[in-house]
Amino acid sequence: MYDVVLLVEQELSEPDAKRVVELHQDMPEPVLYHVLVPCHNAEAGVEASISALGTADLYGPGLAGQREDLAEAQKAIDSEAKGCSGRSVQRLRDLGYQAEGGISHDRPIDALVATVQASRGQEVIILTRPHIVAEFFHLDWTNSARRHLGVPVLHLLEHDPQEAAAG
């Protein structure tokens, strides 16, 4: 079995799924894709934003009253991420490949490293939208993954569904 870990920013589109499996169509052994979707932590994001603004003293106690709202927001975020993972896995399966998926609340690179280790991944594909500034300073997921992993890492840019429909 050849294990490929896919770190995706959003749901795999049909063209992106086809592009991914085309990379492995001539593999002599079966391929298993492990789809990983990072999931935003709503509470940590709000707390980080408040701290960054230097207003934690003003809003800190008020944040405690918002915990229920944040928990509901987190449920919605988790549900969307699980749906994204599930639909991405199904697209790969519809193309005749084995796939499994999940979400993570960890930092994306930490989750990627853990998934590669757990699955004994032999290759990583990172599928994102263009992030010009992060890529310029080598702070993007791909460069981070290359620093942390000893496997080939390929970065693909997602197809823009609106451009595909127009073209």
Side-chain angles (χ1 to χ4, degrees):
M1 184 68 63
Y2 187 78
D3 292 275
V4 177
V5 179
L6 285 169
L7 176 62
V8 299
E9 238 179 348
Q10 59 191 22
E11 180 179 329
L12 275 177
S13 66
E14 189 174 325
D16 287 333
K18 286 179 182 176
R19 203 164 45 142
V20 166
V21 300
E22 285 173 357
L23 295 170
H24 305 102
Q25 65 188 6
D26 295 328
M27 290 293 295
E29 57 189 310
V31 176
L32 172 59
Y33 293 101
H34 306 269
V35 179
L36 176 62
V37 178
C39 191
H40 179 72
N41 182 324
E43 185 172 330
V46 169
E47 288 177 352
S49 297
I50 289 173
S51 295
L53 294 173
T55 57
D57 292 337
L58 296 173
Y59 295 105
L63 186 60
Q66 302 295 322
R67 299 263 189 244
E68 287 182 31
D69 292 338
L70 288 172
E72 286 300 313
Q74 190 65 55
K75 284 181 189 175
I77 291 168
D78 288 354
S79 176
E80 176 57 30
K82 288 175 185 173
C84 169
S85 175
R87 290 184 298 272
S88 297
V89 164
Q90 191 57 52
R91 283 209 171 90
L92 294 166
R93 288 178 179 167
D94 289 347
L95 293 169
Y97 285 80
Q98 297 178 55
E100 58 184 32
I103 67 170
S104 175
H105 294 100
D106 295 334
R107 288 181 47 236
I109 295 303
D110 293 342
L112 177 63
V113 168
T115 303
V116 168
Q117 290 172 347
S119 67
R120 296 188 177 167
Q122 294 141 294
E123 180 181 332
V124 169
I125 298 175
I126 298 175
L127 200 71
T128 67
R129 297 180 302 269
H131 296 283
I132 305 303
V133 173
E135 290 171 13
F136 178 77
F137 289 106
H138 303 287
L139 301 172
D140 59 306
W141 289 350
T142 305
N143 281 294
S144 294
R146 287 183 179 136
R147 286 192 297 269
H148 289 88
L149 296 168
V151 299
V153 177
L154 175 65
H155 181 209
L156 298 177
L157 295 178
E158 296 170 338
H159 278 96
D160 184 349
Q162 293 176 345
E163 283 183 23

